[in-house]
Amino acid sequence: AVASPAVAQSAPEVRWRCTSSFPKSLDTIFGASEVFAKAVSDMTDGKFQIQVFAAGEIVPGLQALDAVQNNTVEMCHSASYYYVGKDPTFALGTAIPFGLNSRMMNAWFYAAGGLDLMNEFYKKYNVLMLPGGNTGTQMGGWFRKEIKSVGDLSGLKMRIAGIAGQILSKLGVVPQQIAGGDIYPALEKGTIDAAEWVGPYDDEKLGFAKVAQYYYYPGWWEGCAALNLFINQDKWNGLPKPYQAAVHAASALMNTEMQASYDAKNPGAIKRLVASGAQLKAFPQDVMEACYKTANEYYDEISGKNPDFKKIYDVVKAFRNDEYLWWQVAEYTYDNFMIRARARG
Amino acid sequence: AVASPAVAQSAPEVRWRCTSSFPKSLDTIFGASEVFAKAVSDMTDGKFQIQVFAAGEIVPGLQALDAVQNNTVEMCHSASYYYVGKDPTFALGTAIPFGLNSRMMNAWFYAAGGLDLMNEFYKKYNVLMLPGGNTGTQMGGWFRKEIKSVGDLSGLKMRIAGIAGQILSKLGVVPQQIAGGDIYPALEKGTIDAAEWVGPYDDEKLGFAKVAQYYYYPGWWEGCAALNLFINQDKWNGLPKPYQAAVHAASALMNTEMQASYDAKNPGAIKRLVASGAQLKAFPQDVMEACYKTANEYYDEISGKNPDFKKIYDVVKAFRNDEYLWWQVAEYTYDNFMIRARARG
């Protein structure tokens, strides 16, 4: 017998399944997982194949993490904050209200220990996390009536989930959990008064402008939303090193491409939405400040009883404050000038 | 004889040299090229090795592109705008004054045809370009005296190169070409009145605050500065497909890591610079507006005689205007709130 060549041993055939928490209709998000899988296949000459399944094809969208933890599938494309019911610390891997913007999130993940810190936490769930795209700052959603001050939030039935829902509930909002496809009829019938979804490109497809004309910004609960790849820890450990490196780089590629894709698609969508009657409104200052204050109180409360959350939140908070100290100098001043120059024509 | 296994044929040993336009002392930029080379090696199980050389080790920093075009080396890490002497169209691959910010540049490159459009141009030079990092919005540089209005630019001797130098010269500045290491003594002796370099992290190391206390922002000539990988077209075509895919993904990884690294390092540096006496100043509004007007006139002038520039510039300009239309809604409003919230403490 002849020994197999070393190269063949380091490049075994591997087949993985990646379950997505998202439907194919969210084509920018779902498309990024396909970019990822194709890149891994291309880099390994087709030897490492990852098949991506939309939410519900193998497991329901919100059970993606559990399916990876239990090794039903090797990996998933999801959003860490979907799992705040297990532990609020999960929110820090995607978005917390008044958290980092998209570029700061990358800075934290890649250059300030954020990935390591989150992965220390995710070990408890037997998964490894890699960045899986970003939406950028989201919109604040669609409202059937104008919000003139914080008092107008009282009794407002709004489709909003997670920590943002809990914060808003302290200000009188009645948060509702409604799947994407059911939002439009609920808004149309007036079963709910408001709903948040993503941003112009995704929102346009669901047609909200026809049933709720006020389109608020910014989505302060998602200064960015980092999507995530979660990989079963044992499966990761069993991968040849070159395949691990391919997954790491493919994650960076999909992470960039998703944000780029949203950034390229949103301007056309917001123009069409406004042309079709959507009224863009900034949240009133007193609403923003009440939400900010309530969010900080909420973080203090969670920090008091959850050491994992406290440990990571304290780091994120200090990092965010440092980032904005610098951001306001060059980046923000540049954007400010360019925005005003464009408006002058 | 037994046929070689297919896997061995698709994974040949390849050795490339990458010459950098940058010295090792610019550790964030140089470090990104090492991140790139390591990722390619890791993904190919060490079969595709790219050795990175600092500026001057093989060829001078500003001749990196020529060395790739002539196949002296297979690839380089450089900045497209260093080659505006050949054709001003090169500027569009890195930065033009009042151009895209960092995230918009990624959006243009990856999701709006920018890479394809630039590569159509680069074909004339027998090279392929891939993204190679970004600095984000740079600072406007160090000035020995305060700039109170556009009149103060008259006769100002400033170390600034490229299109920005040409624009400023129309407003009375006398642009000077001085290598990084020679800036400090020139500022100290008063041979020059001002100098721009990069941003807080890199500027701090050169100690400018000691000899020119006014630190202006923003560097409107570099709303972002995209660094670039240039690869000899024939060498690229000769690579196995999996190696091309590895290079593509490693480029996305280094592109992300460089911006992340700058974003993580700059806040500490700007705090230390201010503590050591640097006075942060925004360029006066009339200076910004005069430079913007002059830049637009310059672009019209170049567009009138250079079809390649006109073709790509028209696309960039339209894309930038669309991007800022959207940016001002969610991103900018969010950043604005966060900056003010931080300042209130």
Side-chain angles (χ1 to χ4, degrees):
Chain A
V2 176
S4 302
V7 65
Q9 287 167 356
S10 69
E13 302 267 345
V14 176
R15 296 273 173 281
W16 274 15
R17 297 191 301 173
C18 173
T19 189
S20 174
S21 291
F22 310 99
K24 288 184 182 171
S25 56
L26 283 169
D27 60 329
T28 313
I29 299 181
F30 191 80
S33 60
E34 295 181 311
V35 164
F36 166 79
K38 182 177 185 307
V40 170
S41 172
D42 289 350
M43 285 188 269
T44 60
D45 205 14
K47 298 215 157 32
F48 184 7
Q49 294 282 352
I50 299 170
Q51 191 177 356
V52 184
F53 295 88
E57 288 185 7
I58 309 179
V59 288
L62 300 182
Q63 291 169 33
L65 181 78
D66 304 75
V68 177
Q69 185 180 357
N70 303 335
N71 206 14
T72 304
V73 291
E74 292 83 2
M75 65 178 294
C76 71
H77 185 218
S78 189
S80 185
Y81 67 4
Y82 288 162
Y83 310 99
V84 290
K86 298 177 191 294
D87 187 322
T89 311
F90 274 100
L92 294 156
T94 296
I96 58 167
F98 303 104
L100 305 172
N101 72 21
S102 179
R103 223 174 84 184
M104 295 173 189
M105 195 71 169
N106 278 339
W108 184 56
F109 277 163
Y110 283 99
L115 273 180
D116 291 343
L117 204 52
M118 287 309 303
N119 275 320
E120 206 177 281
F121 166 73
Y122 292 131
K123 257 191 193 150
K124 293 187 177 183
Y125 296 85
N126 195 35
V127 296
L128 175 94
M129 187 273 275
L130 288 170
N134 208 309
T135 63
T137 304
Q138 298 195 3
M139 290 292 287
W142 300 84
F143 290 69
R144 285 164 56 93
K145 58 179 189 184
E146 216 176 327
I147 302 297
K148 291 184 177 156
S149 78
V150 71
D152 291 338
L153 297 178
S154 186
L156 194 85
K157 292 187 294 273
M158 181 171 182
R159 187 265 178 196
I160 187 164
I163 292 179
Q166 296 186 44
I167 289 167
L168 281 169
S169 74
K170 297 189 185 194
L171 296 167
V173 168
V174 186
Q176 312 277 316
Q177 309 265 8
I178 300 175
D182 300 331
I183 301 173
Y184 184 95
L187 268 180
E188 188 178 31
K189 287 179 206 148
T191 314
I192 56 174
D193 307 302
E196 70 92 36
W197 186 233
V198 183
Y201 178 74
D202 291 321
D203 290 10
E204 183 188 22
K205 288 190 281 184
L206 296 188
F208 299 139
K210 293 190 207 86
V211 287
Q213 70 177 124
Y214 300 105
Y215 195 20
Y216 274 90
Y217 64 90
W220 47 262
W221 48 92
E222 281 158 312
C224 81
L227 287 297
N228 315 89
L229 299 174
F230 291 107
I231 301 171
N232 180 280
Q233 188 70 56
D234 306 316
K235 290 291 171 180
W236 173 259
N237 294 338
L239 278 186
K241 296 279 178 213
Y243 289 9
Q244 289 184 350
V247 166
H248 181 64
S251 145
L253 180 66
M254 85 181 280
N255 194 50
T256 299
E257 290 213 355
M258 188 194 298
Q259 184 64 74
S261 183
Y262 270 119
D263 287 343
K265 291 167 179 170
N266 276 327
I270 201 150
K271 281 199 257 186
R272 290 187 300 272
L273 286 168
V274 169
S276 75
Q279 291 202 36
L280 287 177
K281 296 267 179 196
F283 282 122
Q285 188 64 16
D286 76 327
V287 168
M288 292 293 289
E289 283 173 12
C291 294
Y292 183 69
K293 183 169 172 287
T294 308
N296 287 337
E297 287 164 3
Y298 179 83
Y299 299 142
D300 289 344
E301 185 191 322
I302 302 290
S303 293
K305 53 193 181 193
N306 185 321
D308 284 336
F309 182 89
K310 178 176 168 42
K311 177 181 172 181
I312 307 180
Y313 171 69
D314 285 350
V315 169
V316 168
K317 186 179 172 184
F319 186 73
R320 179 197 69 191
N321 290 346
D322 270 2
E323 287 298 293
Y324 272 114
L325 174 76
W326 160 233
W327 196 269
Q328 75 183 305
V329 180
E331 291 289 337
Y332 180 81
T333 311
Y334 184 76
D335 288 340
N336 176 283
F337 180 82
M338 295 308 295
I339 286 167
R340 285 181 297 135
R342 194 205 61 81
R344 286 195 306 267
Chain B
V2 177
S4 302
V7 65
Q9 289 168 355
S10 69
E13 302 268 346
V14 175
R15 295 275 174 279
W16 275 15
R17 297 192 300 174
C18 174
T19 189
S20 174
S21 290
F22 310 99
K24 288 185 182 170
S25 56
L26 284 169
D27 61 330
T28 313
I29 299 181
F30 192 81
S33 60
E34 296 180 310
V35 164
F36 166 79
K38 182 176 186 307
V40 170
S41 172
D42 288 349
M43 284 187 269
T44 60
D45 205 15
K47 299 214 155 36
F48 185 6
Q49 294 281 352
I50 299 170
Q51 192 177 356
V52 184
F53 295 89
E57 287 185 6
I58 310 179
V59 288
L62 300 181
Q63 291 169 33
L65 181 78
D66 304 76
V68 177
Q69 186 181 356
N70 304 334
N71 206 14
T72 304
V73 291
E74 291 83 3
M75 66 178 295
C76 71
H77 185 218
S78 190
S80 184
Y81 68 2
Y82 287 163
Y83 310 100
V84 289
K86 299 178 190 291
D87 188 321
T89 310
F90 275 100
L92 295 156
T94 295
I96 57 168
F98 303 105
L100 304 172
N101 72 20
S102 179
R103 221 175 86 184
M104 294 174 189
M105 195 71 167
N106 279 340
W108 185 56
F109 277 163
Y110 283 99
L115 272 180
D116 290 343
L117 204 52
M118 288 308 304
N119 275 320
E120 205 179 283
F121 167 73
Y122 293 131
K123 257 191 192 147
K124 292 186 176 183
Y125 297 85
N126 196 34
V127 296
L128 176 95
M129 186 273 274
L130 288 171
N134 208 310
T135 63
T137 304
Q138 297 195 4
M139 289 294 285
W142 300 85
F143 291 69
R144 284 164 56 95
K145 57 178 190 186
E146 216 176 327
I147 302 297
K148 291 184 176 153
S149 77
V150 70
D152 291 337
L153 297 178
S154 187
L156 194 86
K157 293 189 294 273
M158 181 170 182
R159 186 266 179 196
I160 186 163
I163 292 178
Q166 297 186 43
I167 289 167
L168 282 169
S169 74
K170 296 188 186 197
L171 296 168
V173 168
V174 186
Q176 313 276 317
Q177 308 265 8
I178 300 175
D182 300 331
I183 301 173
Y184 184 95
L187 267 180
E188 188 177 31
K189 288 178 207 148
T191 314
I192 57 173
D193 306 303
E196 70 94 33
W197 187 232
V198 183
Y201 177 74
D202 292 320
D203 290 10
E204 183 188 23
K205 287 190 281 184
L206 297 187
F208 300 138
K210 293 190 209 86
V211 288
Q213 71 177 124
Y214 300 104
Y215 196 20
Y216 275 90
Y217 64 89
W220 46 264
W221 49 91
E222 282 158 312
C224 82
L227 288 297
N228 315 90
L229 299 174
F230 290 108
I231 300 172
N232 180 281
Q233 188 70 57
D234 306 317
K235 290 291 171 183
W236 173 260
N237 293 339
L239 278 186
K241 297 280 177 212
Y243 289 9
Q244 289 184 350
V247 166
H248 181 64
S251 145
L253 180 66
M254 84 181 281
N255 194 50
T256 299
E257 289 213 354
M258 189 194 298
Q259 183 64 74
S261 183
Y262 270 120
D263 287 343
K265 291 167 179 171
N266 277 325
I270 202 149
K271 281 198 257 187
R272 290 187 300 270
L273 285 167
V274 169
S276 75
Q279 291 201 34
L280 287 178
K281 296 267 180 196
F283 281 123
Q285 188 65 14
D286 76 326
V287 168
M288 292 294 288
E289 282 174 9
C291 294
Y292 182 70
K293 183 169 171 288
T294 308
N296 287 337
E297 288 163 1
Y298 179 84
Y299 299 141
D300 288 345
E301 186 192 323
I302 303 289
S303 293
K305 53 194 183 194
N306 186 321
D308 283 336
F309 183 89
K310 177 175 167 43
K311 179 181 170 181
I312 306 179
Y313 171 68
D314 286 351
V315 169
V316 168
K317 186 179 170 184
F319 186 73
R320 179 197 69 192
N321 290 347
D322 270 1
E323 287 299 292
Y324 272 113
L325 175 75
W326 160 233
W327 196 269
Q328 75 183 304
V329 179
E331 290 290 336
Y332 180 81
T333 311
Y334 184 76
D335 288 339
N336 175 281
F337 180 81
M338 295 309 294
I339 286 166
R340 285 181 297 135
R342 194 204 62 80
R344 283 196 307 267

